[in-house]
Amino acid sequence: MKNICYLFYFLIIFYSCKDTKDSSDYTVLKGGTVFIGNGNSISDGIIIIKNGKIENIGNNKTSIPDNANIIDVTGKFITPGLIDSHVHFFQTGFFDSRPDALDLRDSINYEKTQDYVKNNPERYYEAYLRSGVTGVYDVGGFSWSIELQNSAENNLYAPHIAASGILLTPASKERVKSFNTANDSVLVHLESAEHGKSVVRLNDSLGSTGIKIHQLYLNDTTFMKNMVAVKEEIAKRGNKMIVHATTLEQAKEALKLYAKVLVHSVEDKEIDEEFIKLAKAKSIIYCPTLIVSRGYYNAYRAINYDFNIHDPNNVVDAKTKNLLMTANRFSEIVPDVLKSDEFIENFYKRITEAEKIMSINLKKVYEAQIPIAVATDAGNPGTLHGISIYKEMEAMQEAGIPAKDIITMATQNGAIAMERDDDIGTLEKGKLADLVILNKNPSVDISNMRSITHVMRGGFLHPVEKPFEENMFE
Ligand SMILES: [Zn+2]
């Protein structure tokens, strides 16, 4: 029913937008400082939008068409819509979708959770758009996640989506069992060369953007041999490999297997010359996820203590918020080992150490001029869809990446990762009018991304403080 309502509201908005466009073909944003997304900017800029696309963009000499609907953004700052290059729509932001991390299946039915997640992606769409995120890359999900690429594309209440679909893993069948449902899989143990090729073919035939490998077990010679067949099948299909690699040796091996996107960060030791050489030779994109482990820490901690959500515009969906805020109701069923202060403290020590190495490596990757995209791993416990992008960008800034370059990593480079750089990611003539309007300058401090007031998706402007359902009635 909710879906039908959404469709109904969407049609109303669509047609009312159409009417507005008919009476005034052009929307013009005039007077702001515009960050293009490629490192350049225009002060006192003019952006002319028609039919959801950027008709023209330039300085204050740019001629404005007659009868344009002019929006004065003097003193404001504009960037392309943000792109989060690592999310999972099958994950809620709590443990109910991660039974491997904390098994709550006796209290919350996993099949029902997955059914709900599949049928209600709108709550995350809203969280993303109202955080300024107009594009997301789902790098690992059930087969249904690939369909989101098409269903979200023309929905002005959703971000653009790229999705890689089912993950291949060396982890045992027994270990991955808890993730999968009766009718679909998210994580599949790589059984043989033929099996690996068939999973590649399945994802690819559904239209997946990339094929993700969840971990490389370098000592598992059978797995690594089968990976050669997987690599060849990906190349044959013209698709690309994405690899979850958290150790230096895994990351190097991934590069030798022609991975194009490296997700997470090298966190066991500092990267070396060989890694840099390989990464540059294979022209990859490095997608660190600096905050996701701390998200787990915060979520585990919520069982005994509390969970702080900084969400001034109230964009996080109520269901997830409620689970995190009332996590201590699961205290009774959580094994002692996972809620003891000792576990929490050790976890904290471990992630703090890893964060240090990840930050050093990020700076090294940046200095080596290897392309980097902003990525959160949102959906994992404690890393919430939408708002997590601010914290990730702030962590990158703390690692020593200049704010002006983080803007490029959160826009243009994300679009390259999604293979959408022909129509999104930068504010250029002919591209889609996806952008955010901010009160404060993000190039001097990336936390100013939090000063967002509006997001535009395909030429349609949303005030971010307003819930979509309210906005839809106007
Ligand atoms: Zn992930």
Side-chain angles (χ1 to χ4, degrees), residues 86-88 91 98 139 212 244 263-264 377 380:
H86 187 154
V87 311
H88 298 283
Q91 293 198 61
R98 285 305 296 251
V139 286
K212 167 106 171 270
H244 165 126
V263 302
H264 299 298
D377 214 353
N380 276 278

Side-chain angles (χ1 to χ4, degrees), residues 159-426:
H160 303 281
I161 296 173
S164 61
I166 301 168
L167 299 140
L168 273 168
T169 178
S172 70
K173 276 185 175 176
E174 195 51 38
R175 268 193 69 195
V176 302
K177 213 166 77 183
S178 66
F179 280 95
N180 300 327
T181 59
N183 302 317
D184 203 348
S185 297
V186 58
L187 210 52
V188 169
H189 169 73
L190 174 58
E191 289 173 25
S192 64
E194 248 340 286
H195 171 249
K197 288 200 274 188
S198 73
V199 174
V200 172
R201 281 197 293 270
L202 171 65
N203 278 331
D204 187 72
S205 66
L206 293 171
S208 77
T209 306
I211 306 287
K212 167 106 171 270
I213 314 300
H214 182 260
Q215 295 264 31
L216 295 176
Y217 287 178
L218 305 182
N219 297 329
D220 183 341
T221 47
T222 312
F223 171 80
M224 293 308 289
K225 216 174 96 205
N226 292 336
M227 271 304 300
V228 176
V230 168
K231 173 194 94 171
E232 283 165 3
E233 190 65 24
I234 292 173
K236 197 168 133 192
R237 302 259 145 194
N239 218 315
K240 71 176 175 197
M241 192 193 292
I242 307 166
V243 178
H244 165 126
T246 51
T247 72
L248 181 58
E249 295 314 313
Q250 280 178 353
K252 283 182 189 173
E253 212 47 48
L255 295 173
K256 288 175 191 163
L257 284 165
Y258 291 90
K260 284 288 169 200
V261 180
L262 274 192
V263 302
H264 299 298
S265 309
V266 173
E267 61 177 43
D268 65 328
K269 54 178 95 145
E270 291 185 29
I271 57 168
D272 56 15
E273 267 313 304
E274 189 195 1
F275 172 88
I276 290 171
K277 258 192 202 153
L278 276 169
K280 294 191 87 153
K282 315 273 186 193
S283 53
I284 60 131
I285 299 186
Y286 188 79
C287 299
T289 51
L290 302 179
I291 62 159
V292 65
S293 300
R294 196 159 289 255
Y296 271 90
Y297 165 76
N298 291 330
Y300 278 125
R301 204 182 162 278
I303 304 290
N304 268 359
Y305 300 98
D306 54 3
F307 190 89
N308 295 319
I309 300 179
H310 180 61
D311 181 22
N313 291 321
N314 205 18
V315 308
V316 176
D317 71 284
K319 212 173 161 78
T320 304
K321 199 175 257 183
N322 181 47
L323 279 169
L324 282 159
M325 304 307 267
T326 63
N328 55 17
R329 73 189 142 111
F330 300 107
S331 184
E332 293 286 289
I333 59 161
V334 173
D336 287 345
V337 67
L338 291 180
K339 61 183 179 194
S340 68
D341 284 345
E342 194 191 352
F343 169 77
I344 300 288
E345 278 162 28
N346 286 338
F347 196 88
Y348 184 82
K349 271 186 213 152
R350 213 169 58 236
I351 62 167
T352 307
E353 204 45 49
E355 282 168 353
K356 257 188 227 156
I357 302 172
M358 286 193 278
S359 296
I360 291 168
N361 283 339
L362 177 59
K363 188 80 189 298
K364 285 190 171 189
V365 168
Y366 169 76
E367 282 164 357
Q369 298 179 328
I370 295 162
I372 297 164
V374 173
T376 63
D377 214 353
N380 276 278
T383 301
L384 304 180
H385 292 285
I387 58 168
S388 296
I389 198 160
Y390 303 131
K391 228 176 220 173
E392 186 69 37
M393 292 190 292
E394 286 160 0
M396 293 170 84
Q397 181 171 263
E398 275 167 39
I401 313 299
K404 69 173 182 43
D405 293 327
I406 298 174
I407 297 172
T408 306
M409 296 170 189
T411 56
Q412 174 188 265
N413 293 3
I416 294 170
M418 288 175 70
E419 301 178 31
R420 289 295 302 269
D421 47 313
D422 56 337
D423 64 349
I424 62 173
T426 53

